[in-house]
Amino acid sequence: MSHALLLADPAGRYINAGVIQISVTNAVIIGLMLVVFVLALVVPFPGRRHHDRTDRDR
């Protein structure tokens, strides 16, 4: 079986924590979204550099 077929398995595998039940695929997607969100907060925008005051006065 291919990996894509295992992730799309209708029976699926679930993480069960009390009243919360989530499929492993959804947990992975949510984790990746959180990583992208944190990277968007931490990584600076390209081309936005802080210049000293003398550059702004010109």
Side-chain angles (χ1 to χ4, degrees):
M1 264 193 233
S2 71
H3 292 293
L5 187 59
L6 288 175
L7 288 177
D9 184 20
R13 294 187 179 157
Y14 289 88
I15 300 169
N16 194 359
V19 295
I20 298 172
Q21 182 176 353
I22 187 169
S23 70
V24 173
T25 305
N26 285 343
V28 168
I29 291 171
I30 291 170
L32 289 174
M33 287 172 36
L34 288 173
V35 167
V36 169
F37 178 73
V38 169
L39 284 175
L41 291 176
V42 174
V43 176
F45 287 106
R48 293 191 67 176
R49 307 213 187 264
H50 296 288
H51 300 288
D52 55 7
R53 259 181 108 83
T54 57
D55 289 342
R56 283 188 278 166
D57 294 336
R58 291 182 188 181

